Amino acid sequence: SQQGEEDPQALSIQEGENATMNCSYKTSINNLQWYRQNSGRGLVHLILIRSNEREKHSGRLRVTLDTSKKSSSLLITASRAADTASYFCATDLTGFQKLVFGTGTRLLVSP
Amino acid sequence: EAQVTQNPRYLITVTGKKLTVTCSQNMNHEYMSWYRQDPGLGLRQIYYSMNVEVTDKGDVPEGYKVSRKEKRNFPLILESPSPNQTSLYFCASSFRRQTDTQYFGPGTRLTVL
């Protein structure tokens, strides 16, 4: 499969804790994007990191990219109940001109 | 407000009854696409369009049709729906290419009995 593989499939934490989810892929990429999906709703773009970047921040989000390990991580700091959602990575695979979505990590943040 | 709209949001129909799910974007995006989302299978692309009158098959096009007569609209047509097309459908648009940031509609939950 060309999909990015998210890990873990599901994550349950308390409010205030940090949440880390990972994405691994198999071939070289131009960029990698993270999206959030609230239950049954459309995906919302969170952040894009290019292959020549190692880390990006956006508010409480921190994304890292390790192209040597073909992996990315999304860290949500000081999580809130409103962060409860599924999180997907999407890889722009070099040579495919296509965005391939993974199967997602389901995050549950309890008050 | 920049957005992608889909209608209807929920639809229950019977096998063989033709239906159309509409999609419209107000961002003047060139690229539009349709996905279906099924448990354990993630998002799979059905059809996409690079611009007006330019459409092409995605990964799972069987049983679906699309058209792109206007830049803002990209309807999904199921000529003869079957139960295996029961799914959550999303329309998405982006500035020019699929690999640009995708803007998703709210989804259409379709049940085919």
Side-chain angles (χ1 to χ4, degrees), chain A residues 35-47:
Chain A
Y35 288 80
R36 184 185 74 197
Q37 182 184 30
N38 290 88
S39 180
R41 307 297 298 270
L43 279 71
V44 175
H45 181 260
L46 295 176
I47 201 164

Side-chain angles (χ1 to χ4, degrees), chain B residues 2-108:
Chain B
Q3 60 182 350
V4 178
T5 57
Q6 292 178 229
N7 282 292
R9 294 290 314 280
Y10 302 90
L11 180 60
I12 300 174
T13 189
V14 296
T15 299
K17 186 176 181 181
K18 180 179 179 180
L19 65 92
T20 299
V21 184
T22 64
C23 172
S24 183
Q25 51 91 7
N26 63 1
M27 295 169 278
N28 202 35
H29 284 169
E30 292 184 1
Y31 187 95
M32 297 185 74
S33 61
W34 278 100
Y35 294 89
R36 60 178 289 174
Q37 186 177 35
D38 301 287
L41 296 177
L43 275 171
R44 294 181 292 169
Q45 191 180 53
I46 303 170
Y47 268 95
Y48 65 92
S49 169
M50 302 285 285
N51 214 323
V52 175
E53 301 293 359
V54 180
T55 63
D56 208 345
K57 296 176 181 178
D59 299 316
V60 288
E62 293 78 20
Y64 305 94
K65 285 176 58 177
V66 293
S67 67
R68 186 95 181 268
K69 293 183 170 54
E70 305 166 284
K71 197 171 187 178
R72 63 183 297 132
N73 296 324
F74 190 46
L76 179 69
I77 303 157
L78 284 71
E79 295 268 2
S80 183
S82 62
N84 65 11
Q85 292 179 298
T86 292
S87 187
L88 181 56
Y89 290 87
F90 291 102
C91 180
S93 72
S94 60
F95 177 62
R96 186 172 296 147
R97 302 168 301 179
Q98 188 196 10
T99 52
D100 296 331
T101 296
Q102 295 285 304
Y103 294 81
F104 283 81
T108 294

Side-chain angles (χ1 to χ4, degrees), chain A residues 8-15 17-19 79 84 105-110:
Chain A
Q9 289 188 339
L11 180 60
S12 183
I13 60 174
Q14 300 290 122
E15 263 190 331
E17 295 179 339
N18 295 340
S79 63
T84 294
T105 291
R106 292 190 313 279
L107 174 65
L108 173 63
V109 183
S110 302

Side-chain angles (χ1 to χ4, degrees), chain A residues 53-78:
Chain A
E53 298 175 312
R54 291 297 166 258
E55 188 170 312
K56 283 190 85 168
H57 296 254
S58 177
R60 294 183 295 112
L61 305 181
R62 182 171 77 103
V63 169
T64 60
L65 179 64
D66 187 335
T67 52
S68 66
K69 295 181 179 178
K70 292 187 172 57
S71 68
S72 174
S73 66
L74 170 66
L75 168 67
I76 304 173
T77 59

